[in-house]
Amino acid sequence: MSVVLVCNSGSSSFKYQLIDVARSETLASGIVERIGAGVGHAQHRHEGPENTSHGSNWDGAFEVPDHFAAFEVMLEGFAAHGPSLEEFPPVAIGHRVVQGGARFFEPTVITELVKINIDELSSLAPLHNPANLAGIEAAQRAFPDVPHVAVFDTAFHQTMPPAAYSYAIDREVAAKHRIRRYGFHGTSHRFVSRATAEFLGRPLEELRTIVLHLGNGASACAVSGGRSVETSMGMTPLEGLVMGTRSGDLDPAVLLHLQRRAGYSVAELDELLNQRSGVLGLGGHADMRDLVAAADGGDQAAALALEVYAHRVRSYVGAYAAQLGRVDAIVFTAGVGENAAPVREWCLAGLEGFGVIVDPDRNRAAERGARRISGDDSRVEVLVVPTNEELEIARQTAEVVGGAHG
Ligand SMILES: Nc1ncnc2c1ncn2[C@@H]1O[C@H](COP(=O)(O)OP(=O)(O)O)[C@@H](O)[C@H]1O
Ligand SMILES: CC(=O)OP(=O)(O)O
Ligand SMILES: [Mg+2]
């Protein structure tokens, strides 16, 4: 059995899954939240039917000052609620790393040098890479004898052509400071575009799809024949769609103006755009459930935030349709994309003239799993396909380790 433990370390949360790769089966999963903010909260789920010696859910509150503590909480979850890590020892640990820059485009066994590189790339993903690295350090301390593998969000987008990844600025400045677009959420876009081909029963090579990964962070990706040809996040995960707390696209002169006229420092601008913008900044709520509830209750700011959010997604759908030349499927995924039916409807409203017709009943049906939500008369398939970044990371990790061991 090839069991892989997957770690997805965020700035304030740590998500994990223990996965039997050969059977594509999750044995356990969990999350430790509010790291570094006083009392943290942990959930551990031992997969299996409820109320049996297997299936059990566990919630707890702990002091979680850092990722090392979060790792300990996870180990307690396994020890107390199973499955036993002695019985299912991981052969490797797979880590999500957000920014791999131009250095990493394959899953990579983590050495000291790789860690130095991940650290150096932190300025290009300030919310993510430092947390990813902290998770790696914690995991290496707890599991010193198994290989650790980094799977990069940027890797899938290395196929973007120069026309898509170049910013139109002085090329010498760009080269000197490595300014270009990288794109993120690649592990998800890759998994979902493959699952889409499977769902449609069509060869990946012939499909042109637009994948909309709408979670806390959000990005769109144009995928042609299984390869990313354009994506909405850029040099950092700040560009593109409106997100929970991130602004997405804006005129760069806004920053100059705030610096010159309002005396904003670099740190203040960073905090404004990454943590106080997006639907939180516009509508007062970062969480889509709260935002929709507020708008339903008559909150005008929340309603405008939703309009801006959907307007931006629609613009990208149009742009990527033009880049692809033909669209076979538009695919929603991640927390918002998989669960927020009204948001899906708003994002694609008014596109009937382009052959994109969402069926309201199919869209709102309480189904899970991959499903079609377009009407029978829609020329473009509109689908919801759940992402599974952890499974994709586990598969890639097992492949690297399997390869390394002959
Ligand atoms: N049932 C739901 N209805 C609407 N939004 C939801 C629902 N469930 C989750 N979400 C939203 O999904 C987002 C989180 O997405 P997720 O993909 O888990 O993000 P991340 O991986 O970046 O933490 C939140 O905005 C949350 O409100
Ligand atoms: C890259 C990125 O934005 O990731 P997340 O959505 O997990 O914040
Ligand atoms: Mg995510």
Side-chain angles (χ1 to χ4, degrees):
M1 185 193 287
S2 50
V3 173
V4 171
L5 177 66
V6 176
C7 301
N8 182 349
S9 309
S11 51
S12 69
S13 72
F14 169 67
K15 297 184 197 169
Y16 58 90
Q17 280 194 29
L18 189 70
I19 295 176
D20 176 352
V21 177
R23 300 169 63 185
S24 292
E25 193 185 327
T26 298
L27 305 172
S29 61
I31 180 167
V32 183
E33 290 173 292
R34 295 174 58 79
I35 297 171
V39 179
H41 174 243
Q43 266 182 317
H44 178 85
R45 181 174 165 78
H46 180 175
E47 297 294 339
E50 285 300 318
N51 306 320
T52 64
S53 57
H54 293 301
S56 62
N57 267 321
W58 168 70
D59 270 84
F62 296 87
E63 285 286 312
V64 193
D66 55 25
H67 284 81
F68 290 99
F71 222 87
E72 289 301 316
V73 171
M74 175 193 76
L75 293 177
E76 274 181 49
F78 276 107
H81 303 275
S84 148
L85 290 173
E86 277 81 52
E87 205 179 322
F88 298 98
V91 297
I93 317 286
H95 296 269
R96 179 185 181 210
V97 178
V98 164
Q99 177 59 279
R103 283 176 222 178
F104 298 107
F105 30 89
E106 298 286 348
T108 303
V109 174
I110 299 172
T111 60
E112 286 308 307
L113 183 61
V114 170
K115 283 197 281 185
I116 291 169
N117 280 311
I118 293 171
D119 187 33
E120 280 175 7
L121 290 162
S122 284
S123 64
L124 301 182
L127 291 189
H128 295 92
N129 269 39
N132 301 156
L133 200 53
I136 290 169
E137 297 281 0
Q140 285 186 324
R141 201 186 283 179
F143 292 91
D145 300 324
V146 299
H148 292 249
V149 175
V151 176
F152 297 91
D153 260 43
T154 42
F156 181 61
H157 302 298
Q158 291 288 320
T159 50
M160 279 196 290
Y165 71 65
S166 304
Y167 289 114
I169 61 169
D170 182 309
R171 62 179 186 276
E172 283 171 20
V173 174
K176 183 169 174 201
H177 298 286
R178 294 179 297 137
I179 308 251
R180 53 157 284 183
R181 311 183 68 251
Y182 294 107
F184 300 87
H185 292 140
T187 307
S188 175
H189 288 302
R190 177 185 151 108
F191 178 89
V192 169
S193 47
R194 278 154 204 249
T196 296
E198 237 166 75
F199 177 83
L200 294 173
R202 293 178 58 181
L204 183 65
E205 295 68 34
E206 71 176 36
L207 279 185
R208 299 189 196 179
T209 55
I210 299 173
V211 180
L212 301 168
H213 176 111
L214 310 179
N216 252 323
S219 68
C221 185
V223 183
S224 179
R227 293 155 70 89
S228 167
V229 293
E230 166 99 83
T231 192
S232 59
M233 284 178 166
M235 185 175 83
T236 77
L238 182 55
E239 192 179 342
L241 302 180
V242 176
M243 314 185 205
T245 63
R246 288 171 248 167
S247 62
D249 295 335
L250 87 172
D251 182 344
V254 170
L255 306 187
L256 306 179
H257 179 79
L258 286 174
Q259 267 177 315
R260 285 195 195 114
R261 291 294 171 89
Y264 272 68
S265 67
V266 172
E268 285 167 342
L269 288 173
D270 194 331
E271 194 260 345
L272 173 71
L273 297 184
N274 276 306
Q275 292 172 37
R276 264 194 303 136
S277 296
V279 291
L280 172 68
L282 270 170
H285 303 274
D287 191 293
M288 189 53 81
R289 284 164 289 207
D290 300 338
L291 188 72
V292 171
D296 284 347
D299 182 330
Q300 295 294 312
L304 177 65
L306 286 168
E307 280 176 37
V308 176
Y309 185 96
H311 180 103
R312 183 81 52 87
V313 171
R314 206 178 305 125
S315 294
Y316 271 93
V317 168
Y320 288 0
Q323 293 300 347
L324 288 167
R326 180 193 87 220
V327 182
D328 298 306
I330 298 172
V331 191
F332 286 95
T333 196
V336 175
E338 291 168 32
N339 298 298
V343 176
R344 290 195 295 259
E345 210 167 294
W346 297 325
C347 288
L348 300 185
L351 299 184
E352 295 80 7
F354 295 101
V356 179
I357 301 167
V358 174
D359 180 286
D361 295 330
R362 283 184 192 159
N363 184 40
R364 289 181 188 242
E367 274 183 55
R368 309 205 69 77
R371 56 201 187 270
R372 177 179 282 109
I373 60 166
S374 40
D376 293 336
D377 48 350
S378 184
R379 249 190 298 127
V380 178
E381 303 268 10
V382 184
L383 310 177
V384 177
V385 175
T387 192
N388 195 336
E389 290 163 290
E390 286 76 14
L391 179 58
E392 182 65 34
I393 291 170
R395 283 178 181 160
Q396 294 190 25
T397 299
E399 221 164 275
V400 170
V401 173
H405 288 223

